[in-house]
Amino acid sequence: MMIWKVERESVLRTAKGYLMAAFVLSLPGILPAQQVAIGFYPVAGGPGGITAGPDGALWFTEINGNKIGRMTTSGVVTTYPVPTAGSYPDGIAVGPDGALWFTEYYGQQIGRMTTDGVVTEYPMCCYPTAITAGPDGALWVVGGDPSWIGRITTAGVVTQYFPPSSTGIYGITAGSDGALWFTEYDVSKIGRITTAGVITEYPIAGGASGITAGPDGALWFTDTNGIGRITTAGIFSEYPWSVPNGICFITTGPDAALWFTGCEESEIGRITTAGVITTYSYPYKGNGPGGITAGPNRALWFTDLYGGIGEAVFVTAGLSVSPASGFPGTTLTFTGSAFAPNESVKIHAGFLGSPVLATATADASGSFTRTAPELPLPYGSRQLLGVGQNSHRIGAASFSVTPRLILSPNSGTVGGSAVAEGLGFVPGEQVRIHWNNPLILLGTATANQDGTFNGAAALQFTVPSGAPPGANLVFGVGSISNVKVKTWFNVE
């Protein structure tokens, strides 16, 4: 056993965390407005498994970054490095002790992390993948080489069991019957193991991977044919659904339905306990949705291996914004409807918990119009959410932030000095600033957590020799966004 105190390595996103892709989708039969809004927080490191933590935040593994991440519901991300290099952290779950437990696939260990960053690692052969809290106060793990099921107490005592026929175990969850249920992909079976280690296997129609306990007391899982359901008595049902790269993970949502991710498809889906399936795409270039979990704020949170964490919230009221795009600081006019009569509505700069742009008061019909300046937010599209403080109804409006380059002064003579400031870029990206004629790189500035560079971080430059009199083009190019922003300097 090795015990480590791991200090947080970096804060990747502030409470003004931005959404690279956000939009509203129709969703039949959940809530009155029958809509879902999906937003996206870019996160590096290859997010994999995700779970709702005991502290009201989301905790996830960074497979490629070899870290454990924590994200608040407002999008603030903190990462903690895993002590063992190249361990490939994968599955993650909350233990009965209130700590986060995770698997280290290549490290062949089980990690335990407290919410303040203390890490303990326990050896566990061989190649652990998924992990879940059991009904017996221990953690249960699966792995595959050879395939096995493991039990680890909160004190680190390990016991392993080997199913008779499995060659590929991928998922595990606690069932409503007090046993653990697991998927056996290669032999197309669902397995059940009691806390005493007694194993029973049930044949199914395809290779299964993710599994969860459903709101109806049955086990629901993803397989090569679609979504499967098996009762605790072993009665199997199949709901066909086909996507090119299969379906990955599944969880029970806050709406008493099951939610799942489509592997490599930029897609999440919903299936009712009656078998009605609806899927939704999100326009993010990552195309690698993975883990999914219900969050503490009635939202669904999911990971994308190639670039971030998504959030889906249920929309139950109307909200629009004008204009639909603009520079940071643009004055916005919000129009709301279908809120409770006379209630206060807080309009957030992003998803639930993010900074409040404005507070409106609905009239007797539940409607309002409110004008407010937009905060200095980073580049990209986002959902601005209005939340009724009494009814808890949510409205969503899309707004796109456009970067801006400001020169001070914006006129002068050749050889004179000026300062370039920027707003609305991607947090942390470098912005290369050029003079167009003659084409010269004036220098590089780095955007802060708000996507801004100003003050001491602004770029000071000299008006280049050879610049012709009159209006001269100056432009900046973001290293992450690749956005090109233009402004003008008048050479006297």
Side-chain angles (χ1 to χ4, degrees), residues 70 77 96 151 182-183 192 197 217 251 351 386 396 412 447 451 459:
R70 177 185 185 272
V77 175
R151 177 184 186 271
F182 56 94
T183 58
R192 176 185 185 271
T251 193
F351 267 62
L459 176 68

Side-chain angles (χ1 to χ4, degrees), residues 423-448:
L423 302 170
F425 289 89
V426 172
E429 79 172 334
Q430 293 187 329
V431 181
R432 293 167 61 87
I433 301 173
H434 302 260
W435 190 278
N436 188 62
N437 183 22
L439 184 59
I440 293 173
L441 175 64
L442 299 175
T444 300
T446 301
N448 66 12

Side-chain angles (χ1 to χ4, degrees), residues 297-351:
N297 56 350
R298 281 193 57 83
L300 279 303
W301 294 79
F302 59 95
T303 62
D304 188 302
L305 179 63
Y306 300 114
I309 293 178
E311 180 186 15
V313 300
F314 304 119
V315 177
T316 53
L319 186 70
S320 63
V321 61
S322 181
S325 64
F327 299 123
T330 298
T331 296
L332 306 178
T333 299
F334 296 96
T335 302
S337 61
F339 288 92
N342 306 311
E343 76 171 328
S344 176
V345 179
K346 290 186 177 180
I347 302 171
H348 294 266
F351 267 62

Side-chain angles (χ1 to χ4, degrees), residues 228-253:
R229 176 184 184 271
I230 189 168
T231 69
T232 54
I235 300 173
F236 164 68
S237 305
E238 181 77 51
Y239 300 93
W241 188 263
S242 177
V243 292
N245 293 295
I247 303 172
C248 284
F249 297 92
I250 188 167
T251 193
T252 295

